[in-house]
Amino acid sequence: MDNEDIQIGQVFTRRKVIQLFGAGFFVGTEHPPSSELSHAKSLPVCMMRPQQTEGPFFADVKLERSDIRVDPDTKSVSSGLPIEIKIQAMQVDKNQSVPLTGARVDLWHCDLDGRYSGFRNQGEDLRNEKFLRGYQFTSDTGLVKFMTIYPGRYPGRTVHVHLKISTIDKDDRIFEFTTQLYFDDNITDQVYSTNAYRHLKSRRIRNLNDWIFRRYGGKQLMLDLSPSDSGYLATFPIGLQLPDAN
């Protein structure tokens, strides 16, 4: 199933999602306009980011957890280089930002061999598996942390992970921000030269050859990577602006 329009999961169906929020503009189509960041002002604490297509394969598997490497049913652990991803979410209002607390943050991506759990893909039926996906709620400081692996290569795409942030305002309106996060090609080259990833090194699509990255603000969606004791630490600060009530 290679459907780029996966339906929103059950957690978001309590009320219809009526608007999106993102880099200071309304989004009425699948992709943001090319000028999505042209009017965003510099902020000392957080950064405006462009939205991107949800892509395959979002699923609400009801897994609130930090370590998404383990399949909760089979107990198998996805192989690959460990990477901790920290998302720092801030709410922007009148050029000031405060932590976005209690927001749900979903993270999901493919495994070492380009497979997504929860769906039929890569010639396999993985509908009963739940590896490499989960969600958390942001803390009082707007922070969530996920322990996962450095993603493998999904056919036709550069290396990426999927991110969805959702929150509900006092009027019970649901807002979502959906995008994809990317990795420095040079670091990916180093990771893919290790034994576990060596079979992925050839014929890999790089960031600037990926049409979604290139056309929809991929340079503003790069993870900040640094080595850790076991693999890498990735950070991603983001500023989100909720539309005013009508």
Side-chain angles (χ1 to χ4, degrees):
M1 180 179 181
D2 288 331
N3 188 352
E4 292 269 326
D5 298 307
I6 302 300
Q7 191 172 12
I8 293 170
Q10 294 180 6
V11 72
F12 305 131
T13 59
R14 185 169 58 85
R15 286 282 302 273
K16 183 180 178 182
V17 179
I18 56 176
Q19 290 175 340
L20 301 178
F21 63 102
F25 59 92
F26 292 103
V27 180
T29 60
E30 183 183 28
H31 300 298
S34 59
S35 58
E36 69 264 352
L37 297 180
S38 61
H39 61 292
K41 298 181 180 179
S42 297
L43 295 173
V45 179
C46 53
M47 295 180 63
M48 296 294 207
R49 308 285 190 172
Q51 300 197 67
Q52 288 193 351
T53 177
E54 181 179 280
F57 298 93
F58 176 72
D60 179 16
V61 292
K62 296 178 172 58
L63 285 176
E64 183 180 353
R65 58 180 183 166
S66 175
D67 192 334
I68 65 174
R69 295 174 295 178
V70 181
D71 188 294
D73 296 326
T74 66
K75 307 304 180 184
S76 60
V77 181
S78 295
S79 60
L81 187 71
I83 181 170
E84 183 181 41
I85 299 178
K86 295 183 179 181
I87 309 294
Q88 180 76 54
M90 306 294 287
Q91 181 175 337
V92 179
D93 182 26
K94 296 179 181 178
N95 206 32
Q96 296 182 348
S97 58
V98 296
L100 181 64
T101 63
R104 171 169 164 162
V105 180
D106 282 87
L107 193 80
W108 72 99
H109 62 87
C110 70
D111 69 1
L112 194 66
D113 296 311
R115 309 177 311 157
Y116 283 86
S117 66
F119 295 85
R120 292 180 183 271
N121 63 101
Q122 301 296 305
E124 296 183 66
D125 186 353
L126 303 175
R127 289 176 294 178
N128 293 324
E129 300 192 38
K130 301 174 182 178
F131 57 82
L132 300 179
R133 59 175 71 245
Y135 71 89
Q136 294 181 69
F137 291 97
T138 53
S139 68
D140 290 343
T141 60
L143 183 68
V144 293
K145 300 178 184 179
F146 291 94
M147 179 58 68
T148 185
I149 63 164
Y150 207 100
R153 182 185 62 201
Y154 182 75
R157 293 296 316 282
T158 190
V159 182
H160 65 283
V161 302
H162 299 265
L163 173 70
K164 183 189 293 288
I165 303 174
S166 62
T167 190
I168 304 174
D169 72 0
K170 60 183 177 60
D171 296 319
D172 207 27
R173 299 184 306 165
I174 301 173
F175 301 95
E176 288 183 358
F177 175 89
T178 303
T179 197
Q180 300 180 34
L181 310 180
Y182 299 94
F183 299 80
D184 184 284
D185 278 324
N186 292 327
I187 294 178
T188 298
D189 288 342
Q190 296 174 28
V191 173
Y192 280 19
S193 68
T194 61
N195 287 333
Y197 294 83
R198 197 175 300 277
H199 64 295
L200 305 175
K201 189 176 181 180
S202 61
R203 298 186 300 278
R204 180 174 70 81
I205 293 180
R206 305 180 76 80
N207 289 336
L208 292 180
N209 293 326
D210 182 290
W211 73 273
I212 295 177
F213 178 96
R214 188 175 62 251
R215 187 173 180 183
Y216 300 111
K219 290 183 179 180
Q220 286 78 47
L221 296 167
M222 298 291 294
L223 287 163
D224 184 6
L225 293 167
S226 60
S228 66
D229 292 338
S230 58
Y232 283 95
L233 171 65
T235 58
F236 189 76
I238 180 169
L240 300 170
Q241 185 176 60
L242 275 67
D244 295 330
N246 293 321

